[in-house]
Amino acid sequence: MKKTKRNHEKWSKEIAERLIQASITFEEDLMEDLASSPEGLSETEAKKRLLQYGKNEIAHEKTPAWYIQLLSCFKNPFILILLSLAFFSYAIDKDIEAVLIISTMVTVSTIITFTQEFRSARTAEKLKAMVKATATVSRSMNGKADRKEIDMEQLVPGDIIHLSAGDMVPADMRLICSKDLHVGESALTGEAMPVEKMDTLPRGVQQMSRRYLNTKPANALELRNICYMGTNIISGSATGIALSTGANTYFGSMASTLLAKPPLTSFDKGVKSITFVLIRFMLIMVPIIFLINGLTKGDWWDALLFGLSVAVGLTPEMLPVIVTGNLAKGAASMAREKVVVKRLSAIQNFGAMDILCTDKTGTLTQDKIVLHKSYDIHGRENDRVLTYAYLNSFYQTGLKNLLDNAVLERAETSDTLYGAEKKYNKIDEIPFDFNRRRMSVVLEQHDNAHVLISKGAMEEMINICSHVENDGQMIPMTADISEKALGLVNKMNRDGLRVIAVAVKHLTGHQDHYSVGDEKDLVLVGYIGFLDPPKETAKEAIRALKEIGVHVKIITGDNAAVTLKVCKDVGLSANQMILGSDVEALSDKQLADAAEKFQVFAKVNPMQKARIVRALKSKGHTVGFMGDGINDAISLKEADVGISVDTAVDISKESADIILLEKSLMVLEKGVMEGRITFGNMIKYIKMTASSNFGNMFSVLVASAFLPFLPMLSIHLLIQNLLYDISQLSIPWDRMDQEYLSAPKKWDAKSVSRFMVFIGPISSIFDITTFALMWYIFSANSMESQSLFHSGWFIEGLLSQTLIVHMIRTEKIPFFQSTASTPVVLLTSLIMAFGIYIPFSPLGASVGLMPLPWSYFPWLIATLVCYCVATQVVKKWYIRKFGDWL
């Protein structure tokens, strides 16, 4: 049975509770609960548990087979209507021409849709990251631990797992022992800095253990003795016991929610609403026309065939082709910008997007720790402090962590540090450990003097310093100085910096070996600050999005201080921030209001991220979400358009609609503009077709009531409709006015209905004028002369329909203030010329049309000019009245 969204959230909370409970359970009790031992499980027991718990796999959305993708292309309601009409046309009258015309339209649309989405799906599959597929475990053999490497999917609860630097954590696990362990959790929590992990206190330390047990952690992602599946080991080593695997892990609980049916996006809702507006219109008009023709002409069979032709005429049968063509063109344009579009509809949602929610780490920032600045004790930049820090990092022989690597990388681009190490020789090293939280090296200067250089956490460093360096002078460390130093570091922390203190000690004696006991009476010289810097294009991209009406909100799992710093760097106001703990306490309605009000959300978990996205959507916003981590996958799926980046984890790429392959975020603005062009061209076709068809059917209604013959044969309607639709094929290559692109655009079914009612009848007025012209001036007023009448209206109807392309595509005066693109001009001109030619051709004669007298054409030109002028006048009135056009 599939889990509902509410059940998924409940399931995730249960998993979180189990992790919290495991973190505060004594090691011996946990071993007993999991029926395991320090030597590990036996092979026999491991096989039993594999059958019981299943493979250690994460649920993921599989790409459907090609034939399933092909069949899904037929789910468009207009495609289904057209196939039904083709079937009835053949069943009732063996109308092969109608069947061929309709089948061609359906085939073109389906092939374009299938080809683009199939290609995009295959490209996205190739982008999926290769995941480390093995884990090192202990398996019990004859009561002894046998360490071996197994496929990660063979891991079971109770397995004893061994981790080292570079490993991916293969399951949710409780640490048994660890050494200098730092874990990268940015993909899961959004925290840029590696997290220190350690095993908990042994049972023997009863008093401290009880105190620990009485302080139950509130957040399952902040457990110091739990490592989570999907995170990675930055440095150190550890051994732990597997608590849960596969879908029962914290990561797995999030991944399983992605298999649920995705919510309807803005595009889906818009197309659906407009589709049913047009279908309802067709269901009303077709029976009316059928009854009028049947009652006035007496030939119910011809009336039925004519009604079916009217139904085809009313159906915007090229909508799938135009929509798909626009989306495919947009995808091709995006591909040139190194962007993979996995779901075509995401391009239009990109254009409709008015809020972009983004994770911080790895999307706005580089997800890379860099040395920001070095400071003296007063917070002023100081290169001497940097030199001491560099010597410490350069000469340590242990596994260098991210902070050491950041210091060494700075040296590669610094003239100040170049060659500094050559002035010293290493004497000894006092390694880092978690209790001291510092490491020291002892160096010998060229004058044989020894100097101890130490760097580490501020609280531990200040406890071993007896003096400070103040403007080159060494003065005693006082309580006041200590308090000011801690205050300065706290301020730096609030600014988003991770601060390490640097201290030195000039040693008077000479010895070969030094110990922790020598780390006393040091001189505090200053601090070095680290951060995860924003991407170079982040600030410019956010500014560009703001200018085109897209508001950016940051939703991150990182802490408030770091988030504030990044907001400041990228130009976002973070005066109002809400934390995940506050989000949890809000009802859905309260959260919807808060989501609109606040711009920054920090310390939120994955479920809260998705809830914020849903809250914004409930307020009518079209929401984009950009993220790269495991913790972003649910939100990517929930958003109208999910955007992932080049460095994203596998599950985020899978959940996203769009993947950015390059570092630059400026492609976001290009994507939004491409989406708006795509939407503009689609809405052009919909409004052109809806208003034109409404006008034509209104004309048919009037003509059917008063003429002694059908105003046009069914084959004439089909040919006219096909030619008009062919003229629309160039619309995806049309340009949009700059004014139109300046703000987000959304689907509005009421706007289409209103446009159809007000603009459609304009063509009917001139159609009726043409009826009068043919009836009175050219005497086409009998059954014998109906071919002349049909020909006259065929040409006028086709030309007015085709000209409407140029009239409707812009709010400005067409041809003078705004000109269509060359493909549109050429194709519409060609169709009009061909339409005029048909009555004079053998094709026209074969379908019952006849050549028109040349005196007809001056009247035609005058009618079309008046039609264009009248449309322009009504357009200006319509814009003043309703405030929009397209």
Side-chain angles (χ1 to χ4, degrees):
M1 181 183 293
K2 292 186 178 179
K3 292 180 172 66
T4 65
K5 194 167 292 180
R6 188 174 297 277
N7 285 337
H8 275 303
E9 292 176 359
K10 182 180 177 182
W11 187 30
S12 296
K13 286 180 180 178
E14 289 175 358
I15 290 174
E17 283 294 325
R18 288 204 298 268
L19 289 175
I20 291 172
Q21 188 60 46
S23 75
I24 59 175
T25 302
F26 287 117
E27 178 186 317
E28 294 89 339
D29 296 336
L30 195 60
M31 287 283 186
E32 186 177 334
D33 291 343
L34 290 167
S36 187
S37 69
E39 290 75 32
L41 302 172
S42 68
E43 288 292 345
T44 303
E45 180 62 23
K47 288 177 181 177
K48 286 181 182 177
R49 296 192 184 191
L50 189 61
L51 291 173
Q52 179 183 354
Y53 295 104
K55 289 185 177 181
N56 182 30
E57 295 177 326
I58 296 300
H60 65 280
E61 185 179 353
K62 295 180 180 179
T63 302
W66 67 268
Y67 51 87
I68 299 296
Q69 283 183 286
L70 180 61
L71 289 174
S72 69
C73 295
F74 288 91
K75 291 194 297 184
N76 184 293
F78 287 128
I79 292 286
L80 296 176
I81 288 172
L82 287 172
L83 290 175
S84 300
L85 291 174
F87 172 78
F88 284 119
S89 294
Y90 182 77
I92 293 172
D93 197 40
K94 307 295 183 186
D95 193 344
I96 300 297
E97 292 89 349
V99 172
L100 288 175
I101 290 170
I102 296 171
S103 299
T104 301
M105 296 170 183
V106 170
T107 302
V108 170
S109 174
T110 303
I111 288 175
I112 292 174
T113 304
F114 170 72
T115 302
Q116 180 61 37
E117 296 200 348
F118 181 81
R119 187 191 302 127
S120 296
R122 292 298 174 266
T123 303
E125 278 188 348
K126 293 176 183 177
L127 290 170
K128 288 182 180 178
M130 295 299 293
V131 178
K132 184 176 175 61
T134 61
T136 303
V137 300
S138 285
R139 289 282 166 87
S140 176
M141 289 188 66
N142 301 321
K144 294 182 179 180
D146 178 31
R147 188 174 293 198
K148 62 190 297 185
E149 195 168 285
I150 64 171
D151 287 343
M152 197 169 76
E153 64 181 22
Q154 301 296 314
L155 206 67
V156 295
D159 260 328
I160 303 300
I161 305 170
H162 304 281
L163 300 172
S164 57
D167 286 348
M168 186 182 79
V169 178
D172 285 350
M173 55 184 285
R174 157 80 179 270
L175 294 176
I176 298 172
C177 63
S178 62
K179 182 179 180 182
D180 303 343
L181 185 65
H182 287 77
V183 181
E185 296 185 343
S186 63
L188 191 64
T189 67
E191 175 69 54
M193 295 289 182
V195 178
E196 295 178 8
K197 297 280 185 177
M198 62 188 77
D199 51 295
T200 51
L201 299 170
R203 185 189 287 274
V205 192
Q206 292 294 331
Q207 185 177 358
M208 296 183 70
S209 294
R210 294 300 173 193
R211 188 184 310 146
Y212 178 75
L213 288 170
N214 289 333
T215 56
K216 189 174 181 180
N219 191 336
L221 291 177
E222 295 179 351
L223 305 175
R224 299 296 293 276
N225 60 348
I226 300 290
C227 288
Y228 309 97
M229 183 181 192
T231 59
N232 60 296
I233 307 302
I234 302 297
S235 63
S237 59
T239 298
I241 183 169
L243 301 171
S244 49
T245 57
N248 292 315
T249 62
Y250 197 90
F251 173 22
S253 70
M254 291 190 295
S256 63
T257 66
L258 303 177
L259 298 182
K261 186 177 180 180
L264 290 177
T265 66
S266 169
F267 177 85
D268 300 324
K269 292 174 183 175
V271 170
K272 187 176 179 181
S273 63
I274 287 176
T275 296
F276 285 108
V277 164
L278 297 177
I279 289 174
R280 283 196 298 270
F281 172 66
M282 183 176 71
L283 291 175
I284 292 170
M285 291 294 290
V286 170
I288 291 174
I289 289 173
F290 166 66
L291 288 172
I292 289 176
N293 276 290
L295 291 170
T296 57
K297 312 298 183 296
D299 191 333
W300 291 95
W301 188 254
D302 279 351
L304 176 61
L305 294 177
F306 188 71
L308 286 175
S309 300
V310 168
V312 173
L314 282 173
T315 304
E317 62 272 355
M318 294 302 281
L319 181 61
V321 178
I322 297 297
V323 168
T324 306
N326 271 289
L327 295 176
K329 178 185 173 292
S333 299
M334 299 291 280
R336 288 193 289 272
E337 301 292 339
K338 300 295 180 66
V339 175
V340 173
V341 179
K342 286 178 59 184
R343 279 176 274 276
L344 286 179
S345 63
I347 297 174
Q348 188 277 317
N349 289 330
F350 222 167
M353 178 176 71
D354 60 333
I355 291 179
L356 173 64
C357 298
T358 175
D359 180 41
K360 176 186 67 66
T361 307
T363 48
L364 293 181
T365 67
Q366 298 176 18
D367 198 12
K368 175 185 177 183
I369 305 303
V370 300
L371 175 59
H372 180 56
K373 286 180 182 177
S374 55
Y375 310 88
D376 64 13
I377 63 166
H378 301 295
R380 298 173 300 207
E381 284 195 59
N382 187 296
D383 288 339
R384 193 155 171 265
V385 176
L386 180 58
T387 301
Y388 281 129
Y390 168 67
L391 292 171
N392 177 286
S393 296
F394 182 85
Y395 278 112
Q396 70 155 304
T397 56
L399 184 66
K400 292 178 171 59
N401 61 30
L402 291 178
L403 304 183
D404 289 311
N405 290 333
V407 173
L408 297 176
E409 284 182 15
R410 168 62 71 87
E412 294 175 2
T413 59
S414 172
D415 295 334
T416 305
L417 300 180
Y418 180 76
E421 73 279 0
K422 295 177 182 178
K423 300 175 183 179
Y424 298 85
N425 294 314
K426 181 177 178 181
I427 301 299
D428 201 4
E429 176 178 348
I430 307 170
F432 175 91
D433 66 55
F434 276 103
N435 293 323
R436 292 165 40 250
R437 298 181 69 200
R438 63 180 179 269
M439 75 83 52
S440 303
V441 295
V442 180
L443 307 179
E444 182 183 57
Q445 296 172 299
H446 287 168
D447 59 1
N448 296 325
H450 288 191
V451 58
L452 183 149
I453 305 172
S454 183
K455 74 177 192 302
M458 182 63 188
E459 294 81 0
E460 280 70 20
M461 291 295 294
I462 209 164
N463 289 334
I464 61 171
C465 290
S466 59
H467 291 75
V468 298
E469 187 178 281
N470 181 29
D471 295 329
Q473 302 295 317
M474 189 173 68
I475 61 174
M477 172 77 75
T478 65
D480 185 53
I481 292 175
S482 174
E483 186 178 342
K484 286 182 178 178
L486 288 171
L488 178 62
V489 170
N490 286 335
K491 181 180 181 300
M492 291 179 181
N493 288 333
R494 288 194 298 272
D495 288 339
L497 294 177
R498 179 167 180 176
V499 180
I500 299 296
V502 180
V504 300
K505 180 181 181 181
H506 293 278
L507 303 165
T508 54
H510 290 72
Q511 58 193 65
D512 294 331
H513 300 288
Y514 292 84
S515 67
V516 174
D518 294 299
E519 292 179 324
K520 61 183 179 181
D521 298 328
L522 275 67
V523 179
L524 180 66
V525 294
Y527 329 100
I528 49 177
F530 301 86
L531 53 73
D532 178 14
K535 291 183 176 179
E536 293 179 2
T537 55
K539 186 173 184 178
E540 188 180 355
I542 289 173
R543 179 194 55 76
L545 289 172
K546 186 176 180 181
E547 288 179 355
I548 58 175
V550 179
H551 300 285
V552 177
K553 295 179 184 287
I554 290 183
I555 308 178
T556 178
D558 211 342
N559 64 65
V562 174
T563 304
L564 282 171
K565 168 66 176 170
V566 172
C567 288
K568 181 180 177 182
D569 289 344
V570 300
L572 277 176
S573 172
N575 295 329
Q576 293 181 310
M577 177 186 292
I578 186 168
L579 300 179
S581 55
D582 302 318
V583 170
E584 194 67 29
L586 298 175
S587 68
D588 289 344
K589 185 178 185 305
Q590 289 171 327
L591 180 58
D593 294 332
E596 285 192 313
K597 177 182 177 183
F598 291 95
Q599 196 165 9
V600 181
F601 302 80
K603 212 68 181 171
V604 293
N605 64 39
M607 292 301 181
Q608 290 168 344
K609 285 188 176 187
R611 193 172 163 227
I612 292 167
V613 170
R614 285 198 299 272
L616 288 167
K617 289 174 67 177
S618 73
K619 285 286 193 175
H621 296 287
T622 300
V623 183
F625 188 92
M626 183 168 68
D628 72 328
I630 297 168
N631 59 334
D632 299 317
I634 302 173
S635 300
L636 287 166
K637 193 87 169 181
E638 194 72 43
D640 289 304
V641 53
I643 308 160
S644 193
V645 293
D646 55 323
T647 54
V649 298
D650 185 60
I651 193 170
S652 288
K653 290 179 182 176
E654 188 175 283
S655 304
D657 303 304
I658 290 173
I659 302 172
L660 314 183
L661 298 185
E662 291 195 340
K663 300 285 185 184
S664 174
L665 295 179
M666 289 307 296
V667 75
L668 288 172
E669 183 201 16
K670 295 177 182 176
V672 170
M673 299 306 278
E674 193 65 48
R676 289 180 187 176
I677 291 171
T678 299
F679 175 79
N681 284 330
M682 283 193 289
I683 208 69
K684 276 180 198 175
Y685 172 77
I686 290 170
K687 287 192 171 182
M688 289 171 188
T689 303
S691 60
S692 178
N693 287 351
F694 180 80
N696 274 358
M697 295 312 108
F698 193 74
S699 302
V700 167
L701 203 61
V702 172
S704 298
F706 296 102
L707 293 179
F709 46 79
L710 289 173
M712 195 181 292
L713 300 182
S714 57
I715 189 63
H716 301 160
L717 276 175
L718 287 172
I719 293 174
Q720 189 185 67
N721 206 46
L722 177 62
L723 290 175
Y724 169 68
D725 286 336
I726 290 173
S727 74
Q728 309 289 292
L729 289 177
S730 58
I731 284 180
W733 287 267
D734 195 16
R735 59 177 69 94
M736 295 298 302
D737 295 335
Q738 199 60 40
E739 295 83 354
Y740 181 85
L741 301 176
S742 62
K745 304 297 178 185
K746 295 185 178 182
W747 295 94
D748 184 358
K750 290 182 179 178
S751 171
V752 173
S753 302
R754 185 176 63 232
F755 192 94
M756 183 167 60
V757 170
F758 281 98
I759 305 302
I762 301 174
S763 64
S764 296
I765 294 171
F766 292 93
D767 284 342
I768 294 169
T769 302
T770 302
F771 296 164
L773 177 73
M774 300 306 297
W775 186 274
Y776 293 109
I777 303 298
F778 295 100
S779 301
N781 48 21
S782 63
M783 293 293 292
E784 292 74 21
S785 59
Q786 63 176 312
S787 292
L788 182 62
F789 186 98
H790 293 161
S791 299
W793 189 33
F794 177 87
I795 291 178
E796 186 273 336
L798 177 62
L799 267 57
S800 62
Q801 271 190 305
T802 309
L803 277 174
I804 203 70
V805 173
H806 297 275
M807 301 304 301
I808 288 179
R809 62 167 296 278
T810 177
E811 292 185 7
K812 301 176 180 178
I813 300 174
F815 305 112
F816 297 98
Q817 295 178 335
S818 178
T819 306
S821 63
T822 302
V824 174
V825 172
L826 289 177
L827 193 56
T828 52
S829 300
L830 183 64
I831 290 299
M832 286 194 289
F834 185 69
I836 293 171
Y837 166 72
I838 284 178
F840 297 89
S841 69
L843 172 62
S846 68
V847 295
L849 296 177
M850 62 179 290
L852 288 153
W854 292 110
S855 57
Y856 164 82
F857 289 98
W859 289 100
L860 174 67
I861 293 170
T863 301
L864 294 176
V865 168
C866 292
Y867 169 62
C868 291
V869 171
T871 303
Q872 189 64 30
V873 170
V874 174
K875 181 198 298 184
K876 294 300 181 185
W877 169 84
Y878 186 92
I879 294 170
R880 285 196 303 270
K881 175 74 174 176
F882 300 108
D884 70 337
W885 181 245
L886 290 179

